[in-house]
Amino acid sequence: MNSNAIPVSALSPQYKLPTISELTHSNQTLLLGQERVSNAFELLTMTAHQHMYLADYAGVDRLEFIKSLVGIQEKQSYQYLSGNIKRSDLLGQFNEREQNSMAENPIPGALANNHYLFICAESLWKREGLWDLLLDILSKREYKVHSSLAATPLDCKVILVGSSMQYSVNWVEESRFPHLFPILGEMVNELDLNHSSESEYATWLKAVAATVDAELEQSALAPLFQYCARLADHQQRFSLLSAQIGQMLAQAKAYGHSKLISAQSFQYALKQYQQRHNASEMLSAQNFDDKFISLPTDDYMVGQINGLTVLDTVEYCYGEPARITASVHYGDGEVADIERKSELAGNIHAKGMMILSSCLYRIFGKDAPLHLNANIVFEQSYQEIDGDSASLAEYCSLISAITEKPIDQGIAVTGALDQFGHVQAIGGVNEKIEGFYNLCERRGLTGRQGVIIPSSNTQQLNLNHNIIEAIKAGKFHLYGIEHIDEAVELLMNMKAGVPDESNNFPDDSLYGLVQDRLARLAGYQEEESGFFAKLLEKMKFSS
């Protein structure tokens, strides 16, 4: 067994599942992991003339969270305003039907009716006049329903609710904002199992299910835990996106025709969700199957490797392989990024290519310049790519092109490099593995195919059951590496080599072949004499 092979036990998270019937939830259960927000809200209740900004995330059930938050303070009224907010919603208005008594009996607005007023920051920001009016009221600590009426003292705490980015914009562009909203309560979108338990999270899931009028069977916990860990993209973390999870539970409830959600109904809901959103993925798969996109998954080829990419369509993402090729020739040491030159690559990808060049020079160009030029390209790529996760694959294809040693096309590669050759973590590791596996499975698994990933990404593995079974059976393989030398050795079945004191690698090593090729390109090795040179040598007369 290869020492870089990742054990089957690490391919998906393992949890201690609590007994769901023994768990009970309360109004504050949805505040699990939100100590920052709870502490901020408690401070809000104890301070005078200070207001709060609640920074949340898309995917959080805002109304249910606010309900739980206010529940900390018993018998305190609150309201949440969003959408098309009007002046009268805040201040109140006259009852036009009772003209004689309108001055004495105006209809109160949200500022008069509530102890705590939650307002959607984005909705308020879009209405500049209303935004300025609210800041004026908070600054003066009073407001008038009508100019003919006396000012009403402000006896309400205002909590703006929005994104962290909106908070930063408000802080920079509105001079009064830092003074009026000094209290920040920033939510977290995931729960760390190092600080909380599976039982606490299961109780939280039970509370989320209750918001959609559903209950959980014991069997539903395992797939729910796996799904929520996949949302958090970590084996030891769970997602706290209550709205997104609640929507999936509501769909499982509908498919199961029962308030009681089972593992079967939840897994079916996940499957149906994928089918509704994977049209782009299926079209891409068809292009591979029809050979419109050339990408071999077996055989050995020089200067060619299968990299891995992630395509994100906002609400759905999937992985697919990409063929990367490299060619080398005599030159001045430039490693050219064709994607960048054709304006089809972003800045992070360009940075990755520069790091690759630096890494190459660190190993082979310490004492002399490299007399070669290289071109690297994503073949059949017609849209912009970005990120540095292909830099490991690009490095391996370049070494293959220099040494003319073929690469196993059945092994795809993902990983980012630093200047010292260490392989660093990348994003979308599960989607990338699944994308390559699905292609190999459709073509037929050979038993040699697999994926190389950074070892640091192992803690994010949460693979589908069919991939785990294939790896168990030895039909597919997953390797974790920490250094570039491990990758080239796996791909080209040859030792990278260890340099001596003069930085020379053994002749029978992979890097020894690189040095030999570079020396030939530089003209350091003696060339064989031609026919006329030999003839002139014979005709020389000694003096």
Side-chain angles (χ1 to χ4, degrees), residues 520-537:
R520 284 188 279 120
L521 286 170
Y524 293 152
Q525 292 185 345
E526 293 184 4
E527 296 182 358
E528 185 178 354
S529 300
F531 171 76
F532 290 104
K534 292 178 180 178
L535 181 62
L536 288 173
E537 185 69 25

Side-chain angles (χ1 to χ4, degrees), residues 231-295:
L231 289 180
D233 204 21
H234 199 285
Q235 291 185 350
Q236 293 301 308
R237 293 175 194 158
F238 288 126
S239 172
L240 291 174
L241 300 180
S242 53
Q244 187 171 347
I245 296 169
Q247 289 167 358
M248 193 59 65
L249 290 174
Q251 292 170 19
K253 171 187 168 184
Y255 283 124
H257 304 288
S258 171
K259 289 178 60 175
L260 199 58
I261 297 174
S262 65
Q264 183 179 3
S265 61
F266 184 74
Q267 289 170 335
Y268 184 78
L270 289 178
K271 182 179 179 180
Q272 292 302 308
Y273 174 86
Q274 184 179 16
Q275 288 186 350
R276 291 195 304 272
H277 292 261
N278 70 352
S280 177
E281 182 181 12
M282 291 298 98
L283 186 61
S284 173
Q286 188 176 352
N287 287 333
F288 281 102
D289 295 343
D290 293 340
K291 303 295 178 66
F292 292 145
I293 298 178
S294 173
L295 191 140

Side-chain angles (χ1 to χ4, degrees), residues 183-441:
I183 301 175
L184 171 65
E186 191 167 13
M187 293 178 64
V188 295
N189 62 351
E190 56 188 35
L191 183 75
D192 194 332
L193 280 181
N194 292 318
H195 304 134
S196 302
S197 67
E198 286 96 335
S199 294
E200 289 176 306
Y201 188 70
T203 306
W204 183 87
L205 287 174
K206 199 170 182 179
V208 172
T211 64
V212 295
D213 193 28
E215 298 177 7
L216 302 177
E217 275 189 8
Q218 182 66 36
S219 65
L221 274 189
L224 249 177
F225 273 28
Q226 186 174 13
Y227 168 72
C228 296
R230 181 75 178 246
L231 289 180
D233 204 21
H234 199 285
Q235 291 185 350
Q236 293 301 308
R237 293 175 194 158
F238 288 126
S239 172
L240 291 174
L241 300 180
S242 53
Q244 187 171 347
I245 296 169
Q247 289 167 358
M248 193 59 65
L249 290 174
Q251 292 170 19
K253 171 187 168 184
Y255 283 124
H257 304 288
S258 171
K259 289 178 60 175
L260 199 58
I261 297 174
S262 65
Q264 183 179 3
S265 61
F266 184 74
Q267 289 170 335
Y268 184 78
L270 289 178
K271 182 179 179 180
Q272 292 302 308
Y273 174 86
Q274 184 179 16
Q275 288 186 350
R276 291 195 304 272
H277 292 261
N278 70 352
S280 177
E281 182 181 12
M282 291 298 98
L283 186 61
S284 173
Q286 188 176 352
N287 287 333
F288 281 102
D289 295 343
D290 293 340
K291 303 295 178 66
F292 292 145
I293 298 178
S294 173
L295 191 140
T297 52
D298 56 14
D299 207 356
Y300 293 82
M301 296 186 179
V302 172
Q304 179 170 304
I305 195 170
N306 289 328
L308 297 172
T309 64
V310 170
L311 285 83
D312 195 335
T313 58
V314 182
E315 85 295 342
Y316 183 78
C317 65
Y318 61 94
E320 69 175 29
R323 183 164 57 100
I324 301 171
T325 60
S327 62
V328 296
H329 55 275
Y330 178 81
D332 57 4
E334 179 189 9
V335 179
D337 180 9
I338 293 179
E339 304 297 324
R340 184 66 173 174
K341 287 188 174 183
S342 59
E343 298 183 354
L344 283 174
N347 293 330
I348 299 176
H349 182 263
K351 178 184 176 183
M353 288 294 296
M354 294 175 190
I355 293 173
L356 185 157
S357 299
S358 176
C359 185
L360 192 69
Y361 266 91
R362 182 190 64 83
I363 300 173
F364 303 110
K366 285 184 177 179
D367 303 317
L370 304 182
H371 292 275
L372 93 160
N373 278 9
N375 293 307
I376 300 178
V377 66
F378 277 70
E379 301 288 357
Q380 293 183 283
S381 172
Y382 308 110
Q383 58 189 358
E384 182 173 321
I385 61 171
D386 203 2
D388 60 354
S389 65
S391 54
L392 174 60
E394 290 165 334
Y395 174 85
C396 293
S397 66
L398 181 58
I399 294 298
S400 172
I402 295 173
T403 61
E404 297 183 345
K405 294 288 292 183
I407 288 176
D408 187 349
Q409 301 299 298
I411 301 178
V413 179
T414 183
L417 301 182
D418 70 6
Q419 293 191 95
F420 301 101
H422 301 121
V423 179
Q424 302 171 131
I426 47 83
V429 64
N430 292 295
E431 289 81 4
K432 289 177 177 179
I433 294 169
E434 290 166 358
F436 187 67
Y437 172 82
N438 290 337
L439 177 61
C440 293
E441 185 185 39

